[in-house]
Amino acid sequence: MTDLPANPPASKTTSWPAPALPRGRIFPAQLALAAELLERITDEALPADRSLQRELAARRRMGRRDRERVRELVLFVLRQRRLIDWLLESDDPPMAARVGIAIALADRIDPVLAETAGLTPDRLEHVSSAMARSVDDLPAPVRFNLSTEAETRWQRLDPPEPEALAHALDGRAPVDLHLNPRHQDRPALQQELAGAGIDARPIPGLPQALRLERPARLTRLDAFLAGGFEIQDAGSQWVVRATGARPDERVLDLCAGAGGKTLGMLDETRGRLAVTACDLHAERLERLAARAARHGDRDLDLRALDASAPLPADMGRFDRVLIDAPCSGSGTWRRHPELRWARIDWPELARTQRALIENGARATRPRGLLVYATCSLWREENEDIVEAFLSDHPDWHPESPAIDDLPDDAIEQAMIRLRPDRHGCDGFFIACLRAPD
């Protein structure tokens, strides 16, 4: 496969990436633990954030900085694996070698760590020589840290300003909150957070949103326990706004998961919705029920079912249907870097997405609104699914959402594309489709 266009900037100023390791010595045991956790996350397809939280919390004898070193090494390798493998000149090197290269990029390698990682002096010399080059001169798939599958899809996406998008996807995601206006207004929540030493600022265009200046412990705060807010990325909040649920409507959340968007719609309408929320996994709906009760919402219709199969006969004529479809999650790479390398059954995923949009359409009343959304960058999961549906159903039509504050550059042919570099949120695709009479 040919390399993607390099598209170098006019001035080459990009520095080589390096993990932000706390001060102090790195021990071989920390390198080995990082490699072990990487193997487990990759082989068992585990979410990196939860796995790290669980595994490191269980090691109580480790100091705070030691745990932070391991965490940073794991996340750095997940974010920069293609670049690291390029330096190792291998498509599948040992995880310990990958961790060793991460330490070398931070200029913290020593002979003992090199031996633990299996890195020879010749290999380290090669890395040192390679770093004499500009990162901007490297092949784009290496610079952008794309797997072979992602490389193909990135070529088709052909994003404007690819360097900015790739750089944003390599960064750390912010912590965003969606507040419950039934509990208190945004200034009051800001004041309460400030009293706990937590700085938060509004997010333009999202009147119920706040963004933290830095991560903080939130789930023990009185405002959270009282249902005053939920932790929710701004992109998900744009999906809620695009759905545009109004008081006293019937709304179907067909792939609700743990219910962040369900709660968002309830909060935005101050609880005045008849909501049916579905998910394949009953335990997710149990979490949704607990979260909703904290907000004061106890009359939800929760159904554990496979929404890609024919829906029950009584699930029809909804004013609005939201499909937050299962997807590759490529728009959330900065939050879930392990998804860069996930093994995906693409034909089966496409079949599920097509079935969901068909079932969602059948459940929508005449002149009702169907909202199809993913947290994916790839056209195969987004425009292709919607365009195929519209081709089969020419009496349906896309409709630009009635959101006054939505950035103009987020709308393409009546569909929304959100990017972390341009809009500060996870990458999202949103299509609003109007049913015929």
Side-chain angles (χ1 to χ4, degrees), residues 182-304:
R182 295 172 283 175
H183 180 82
Q184 61 189 352
D185 61 18
R186 187 161 64 179
L189 179 57
Q190 278 184 278
Q191 185 175 1
E192 186 170 343
L193 292 172
I198 301 171
D199 293 328
R201 57 183 171 84
I203 301 176
L206 295 172
Q208 310 299 343
L210 288 171
R211 175 161 292 168
L212 304 193
E213 297 295 336
R214 60 185 62 86
R217 300 183 69 176
L218 298 166
T219 56
R220 296 181 182 179
L221 296 177
D222 290 342
F224 178 82
L225 296 173
F229 69 88
E230 291 291 328
I231 302 167
Q232 185 181 49
D233 175 73
S236 293
Q237 297 187 48
W238 282 116
V239 174
V240 170
R241 293 206 71 198
T243 303
R246 298 172 182 172
D248 303 320
E249 289 185 329
R250 294 185 69 232
V251 176
L252 173 62
D253 190 347
L254 203 54
C255 306
K261 297 179 183 65
T262 299
L263 293 176
M265 290 186 289
L266 285 164
D267 287 345
E268 299 252 333
T269 57
R270 299 181 180 269
R272 292 176 56 191
L273 278 183
V275 178
T276 296
C278 308
D279 197 81
L280 181 62
H281 303 285
E283 62 272 17
R284 293 179 180 173
L285 295 176
E286 291 173 2
R287 294 202 297 273
L288 167 54
R291 295 170 73 189
R294 194 169 64 241
H295 284 236
D297 300 302
R298 292 180 171 80
D299 296 327
L300 306 185
D301 178 16
L302 305 180
R303 305 196 189 192

